[in-house]
Amino acid sequence: MDPLTHGLATLALQRGFFPKASWRAIIAILCAGLVADVDFFSANFGPSAYLRWNRTATHSITFILVLALAAFLFSLMLRGNPRAPSWTGFSWVAIAAAATLHILMDLLQADPVAPFWPSATKRFSLDISPAIDLWLMVILAAAILLPELFRLVSDEIGSGTKRPRGRNGAIVGLAFAIIYFAMRAQFHGNVTASLEARTVSGEIPRRVAALPDSVSPFLWHSVVETESALHLYTLRSMGGEVSYASGVTTLRKPEPSAVLTAAQSAPATVTFLKTARFPKATVEQETDGFSVEINDLKDQAMQTSNHAIFANINLDKSAKVISSELQWQKKPSRP
């Protein structure tokens, strides 16, 4: 999720379940709900560092425990401190809840998360929500802003309330967010079941994925892997009905060869395949050998180019690897 959505969700969590927090405690809770995305800056150190650190260390249960422990020790330091009243509402529970909410929301996306890092590097994704979900953003913003509007109106007419500020609105907003995610999960399940039940070009699917659209909750960008190819198309899920929203793009798998085998064992490829969900290799013969490019079709299906990575391998005429590196996908040029 984007920082704005995470910030709104964390603020709703604070207002709904930790309403008596002072402004200092609120800032600490907001930081706990946002700090996991500091791994985004690993992109400054290149594609390899980005693949290694993005959505791993700071998106893990270990990180939540570290934050909770730090918050607990800090709360012990506040005991008997004259400045303790300014930290009213600060607790390790609030910090852990905010950090956990961040990871749970990111698990709903198509970009996988490694929650059990460092003991296990396997990544998980539920493919329910896009990275920037405008509908979710509206729900959370309404949960924060509407109670403020109602409060202004009630203050004008002199009917002030002693209830915690915006608590009911925040809880209602979080409830609507859960219902929204449940609706998306239902649509996703319908599309996935439809993909698994269909044959493509006469072949039975081996693996399928339904990836969320960035605008419409009814559109799902699908990737279907069969024995000889990978297929891309968009499906529309309305209620229990699933229909085609675009034509099928078929990308044939390259024939097995010594060049492809050598490219698959290259260091850049090994690193790339640890995170790629639908790798697709393209083999080109050059004047002095071969070049192999391996992309993740998840990125192509979702039409994203920001921080999309591919492996580029060069080999000589005898299929010996000369160089292998991870590179950023270039953004398509505008006409």
Side-chain angles (χ1 to χ4, degrees), residues 7-30:
L8 290 172
T10 304
L11 188 56
L13 176 73
Q14 176 271 314
R15 286 195 167 189
F17 298 96
F18 308 98
K20 296 182 179 180
S22 64
W23 70 267
R24 295 188 184 209
I26 292 174
I27 291 176
I29 294 170
L30 283 173

Side-chain angles (χ1 to χ4, degrees), residues 51 54 68 88 143 156 161 188 194 202 263 272 329 335:
L51 282 184
N54 187 53
T88 300
E156 285 293 329
T161 177
H188 178 265
S194 177
F272 181 72
Q329 288 278 8

